[in-house]
Each structure stands twice: as structure tokens, then as C-alpha cells.
Amino acid sequence: MHRDGRFVVARAAANRFELTRTADGWKIQRRVTRALDGTPESRDLLALDR
């Protein structure tokens, strides 16, 4: 967002994609989006131990 001559973040989100390989190439099997707002759900989405 542009405000007072500067850009500021109005909203931030993270996506996690689970892919599967098919005969036609890689396809998205599942996508999850969470707002980066400090909740456990958003932190869990980015955890490496999934």
C-alpha cells in the first residue's frame, strides 16, 4: 500500500503448496494460505518439521 510517499505492508500471507508429479508435469495437489498474524496456525504452516 502506498501511503504518505512510502510503501507499507497492509497484509502479509504465506502459502504452502503440496505438489504431485503427473504424466503432464507437476500439479498442485493442495494449497494452504494463512495470514501472517502471529497465530499458531500461521506459524505451523511455515514449520519445517511437517
Side-chain angles (χ1 to χ4, degrees):
M1 196 162 78
H2 194 251
R3 182 184 297 159
D4 298 326
R6 300 179 338 165
F7 287 97
V8 296
V9 176
R11 184 181 311 166
N15 295 287
R16 184 177 196 111
F17 292 88
E18 294 178 12
L19 305 174
T20 187
R21 187 162 180 114
T22 69
D24 296 324
W26 290 98
K27 302 290 181 187
I28 298 171
Q29 180 178 354
R30 181 174 179 238
R31 182 184 72 155
V32 179
T33 303
R34 295 285 183 265
L36 294 176
D37 57 4
T39 60
E41 292 82 10
S42 63
R43 292 179 189 188
D44 290 345
L45 180 67
L46 298 175
L48 295 176
D49 61 345
R50 260 187 109 175

